[in-house]
Amino acid sequence: MTDLTIIGTGNMARGLAARAVAAGRSVQLLAHEDKAKADSLAAELDGKITTGVLGEQLTGALVIPAVYFDASRAIVEQYGDALTGKVYVDITNPVDFATFDSLSVPADSSAAEELQKATGAKVVKAFNTTFAATLSDGTVAGHPLDVLIAGDDAAATQAVVEFASAAGLNPVVVGPQRRARQLEHMGFLHILLSANEELPAYQWNSALKVVPAA
Ligand SMILES: NC(=O)c1ccc[n+]([C@@H]2O[C@H](COP(=O)([O-])OP(=O)(O)OC[C@H]3O[C@@H](n4cnc5c(N)ncnc54)[C@H](OP(=O)(O)O)[C@@H]3O)[C@@H](O)[C@H]2O)c1
């Protein structure tokens, strides 16, 4: 068993694996198809990381598919009952890339809720509002990243809180799983800021933070 399974070897997989290593957590890193990509990332990060490819048995108590929403749906279908009881961390921003003007999920739902309909895993929304580049050291302008978290299962939500906290980040539980709707729109807004070349201070390296009163 490992603490986490991270699926994918792209930008978010790299950032999340870096935070997991910083937290001293063990990671199963599954590449999409090419194990060499997982081996290469594991060698770079130098932590407790085992590698494999998608389809192998999941060893992590927390499973974090660091892939786009469509691939997440396919992963849920592929693993089926093997996901039941796991904590599934949904990090996706289901942007409709055809229009870049809306999300691809129904207005009265979210990627997290759509995935929950298809799996016996406990789906927790988290990390969709943290940009990959900022996860490498977990701070922006000296501030630890807020990890906004939405979940229905208290133990599963707490497991994500503990991971974020151990990774040096600032977990904030925003409410039940349906709050993922708001988190996904927040994530999309942040993406739109970064995609706007007239805003050079927001180029995929900024952070969304709720500053507490004291
Ligand atoms: N980038 C960010 O700052 C950021 C921030 C918050 C949330 N997110 C969300 O995080 C997710 C990943 O984003 P990213 O920027 O890390 O993307 P990315 O760098 O493009 O990485 C995507 C990963 O998905 C894998 N993949 C592609 N198709 C797949 C499939 N059918 N099944 C399994 N794996 C597949 C790719 O593997 P191969 O390349 O080997 O095919 C790659 O490892 C997205 O849902 C995004 O909305 C991103």
Side-chain angles (χ1 to χ4, degrees):
M1 290 296 287
T2 55
D3 295 315
L4 309 171
T5 293
I6 296 174
I7 301 174
T9 53
N11 298 315
M12 283 299 281
R14 173 182 298 272
L16 290 163
R19 287 297 91 218
V21 168
R25 301 284 165 111
S26 56
V27 178
Q28 177 192 36
L29 182 64
L30 297 181
H32 176 202
E33 292 173 320
D34 181 1
K35 183 171 178 293
K37 290 187 181 181
D39 290 339
S40 165
L41 182 54
E44 198 183 305
L45 294 173
D46 193 24
K48 291 180 275 184
I49 304 179
T50 58
T51 60
V53 290
L54 183 65
E56 291 183 19
Q57 187 179 355
L58 302 171
T59 63
L62 268 66
V63 177
I64 315 182
V67 302
Y68 282 87
F69 179 47
D70 285 348
S72 299
R73 285 213 266 221
I75 286 169
V76 160
E77 192 176 328
Q78 178 177 357
Y79 277 100
D81 291 345
L83 277 168
T84 300
K86 298 271 190 192
V87 179
Y88 180 112
V89 184
D90 169 38
I91 71 165
T92 64
N93 283 307
V95 174
D96 179 349
F97 289 107
T99 62
F100 209 53
D101 195 41
S102 65
L103 300 182
S104 64
V105 290
D108 62 351
S109 187
S110 60
E113 291 162 280
E114 294 303 303
L115 291 168
Q116 185 67 82
K117 288 175 192 167
T119 181
K122 298 159 187 169
V123 178
V124 178
K125 190 84 197 181
F127 292 103
N128 73 299
T129 60
T130 53
F131 279 143
T134 65
L135 284 166
S136 60
D137 71 4
T139 63
V140 169
H143 301 285
L145 301 179
D146 275 3
V147 180
L148 306 179
I149 302 169
D152 282 345
D153 183 280
T157 304
Q158 184 59 24
V160 180
V161 166
E162 285 171 13
F163 167 53
S165 189
L169 310 174
N170 182 45
V172 182
V173 177
V174 301
Q177 191 185 70
R178 64 182 180 279
R179 290 286 83 76
R181 300 171 195 180
Q182 286 71 41
L183 293 184
E184 291 171 14
H185 281 281
M186 286 176 76
F188 184 33
L189 184 70
H190 202 197
I191 288 167
L192 289 169
L193 287 177
S194 285
N196 185 342
E197 290 174 0
E198 292 176 12
L199 298 173
Y202 301 93
Q203 292 300 306
W204 312 104
N205 53 8
S206 51
L208 288 181
K209 190 159 185 70
V210 182
V211 180

